[in-house]
Amino acid sequence: MPTLLHVDTSVFPGEASASRSVTATFRKEWEAQHPNGTVIYRDLAAEPLPHLDGLAAAAGFAAPDQRSPEQEAAFALRETLASELEQADVVLIGAPMYNFTIPSTLKAWLDHVIIMGRTAGAEQTTTSGTPAIVVASRGGGYGPGTPRESFEFVTNYLGKALGDGLGLDVTFVVPELTLARSNPAMADLVELSDASKAKAHEDVTTHAKALAARFAA
């Protein structure tokens, strides 16, 4: 049965988080199609990872039989996280925009799983071609032609890190204007916000069904 790696990063719980709400819709549809499948879940807000340190970083560049005991111990978490990514048939990531970029917890995860010569830095990596659905929610509007287009460092960064770096086949789903109902200054954008949210849920449902069918037993 297929394996889904689901990573959430929003600091807000449940329905209070636009990204969590949409990733939950994808996962619900995926599990409906694969009730006996495996889901590996990482909530990086509830259980944040330590930042990559020098020992763990150096260990990633050393052959396993050349690592010191200290490097081997430091590399253990990277091994676990990279293995989770490598065994995934589909990757689902909630990546809300915080201060124009990704949550620091997601950056920490990336620093651990990007291992040169294994998951990255090779023509064919151990994660090449794995489909990844990234829910990149944002409180305002940062699309092409908007005044803040140049402030968008979520999809452009993750497209490079996940796509060019890890070799994943990345699809972005972008619910935006998510602050419209809580910010009086955005009151005239509520309708657009609701439409964007609805489309995001529809899109991930479509993607979940398509990917579930691809990995049908």
Side-chain angles (χ1 to χ4, degrees):
M1 296 299 291
T3 296
L4 172 68
L5 173 60
H6 177 185
V7 179
D8 273 329
T9 64
S10 173
V11 297
F12 300 107
E15 290 294 321
S17 163
S19 64
R20 286 181 186 273
S21 175
V22 177
T23 59
T25 293
F26 180 101
R27 179 168 168 176
K28 180 179 179 181
E29 185 60 43
W30 173 270
E31 291 182 319
Q33 302 297 322
H34 293 296
N36 298 315
T38 299
V39 176
I40 301 170
Y41 184 55
R42 287 271 175 185
D43 185 337
L44 299 184
E47 297 184 57
L49 301 168
H51 289 295
L52 185 68
D53 63 18
L55 275 174
F61 291 99
D65 61 353
Q66 298 297 313
R67 293 174 188 149
S68 69
E70 293 78 13
Q71 286 178 329
E72 194 63 37
F75 191 76
L77 176 59
R78 299 190 73 187
E79 179 64 44
T80 295
L81 296 170
S83 295
E84 290 176 353
L85 178 60
E86 289 168 333
Q87 67 182 283
D89 294 295
V90 175
V91 178
L92 172 66
I93 298 174
M97 176 188 282
Y98 291 156
N99 298 314
F100 311 122
T101 189
I102 64 173
S104 61
T105 51
L106 180 54
K107 180 58 165 61
W109 179 81
L110 286 166
D111 287 342
H112 283 291
V113 301
I114 294 175
I115 303 173
M116 301 305 291
R118 178 174 166 179
T119 61
E123 185 173 335
Q124 183 71 20
T125 72
T126 55
T127 53
S128 290
T130 301
I133 304 298
V134 179
V135 179
S137 58
R138 51 208 194 192
Y142 296 82
T146 60
R148 288 202 165 187
E149 177 183 358
S150 65
F151 287 76
E152 204 285 325
F153 299 103
V154 175
T155 60
N156 55 6
Y157 169 70
L158 290 178
K160 297 298 183 183
L162 297 174
D164 295 353
L166 292 169
L168 304 182
D169 181 9
V170 183
T171 298
F172 288 103
V173 175
V174 185
E176 61 178 3
L177 304 172
T178 61
L179 294 177
R181 286 194 171 274
S182 59
N183 184 349
M186 297 175 66
D188 59 339
L189 298 174
V190 167
E191 187 174 340
L192 289 175
S193 170
D194 290 347
S196 181
K197 178 181 178 180
K199 187 177 187 304
H201 283 278
E202 291 170 5
D203 286 350
V204 292
T205 298
T206 298
H207 291 313
K209 288 179 178 179
L211 289 169
R214 185 192 304 185
F215 295 101

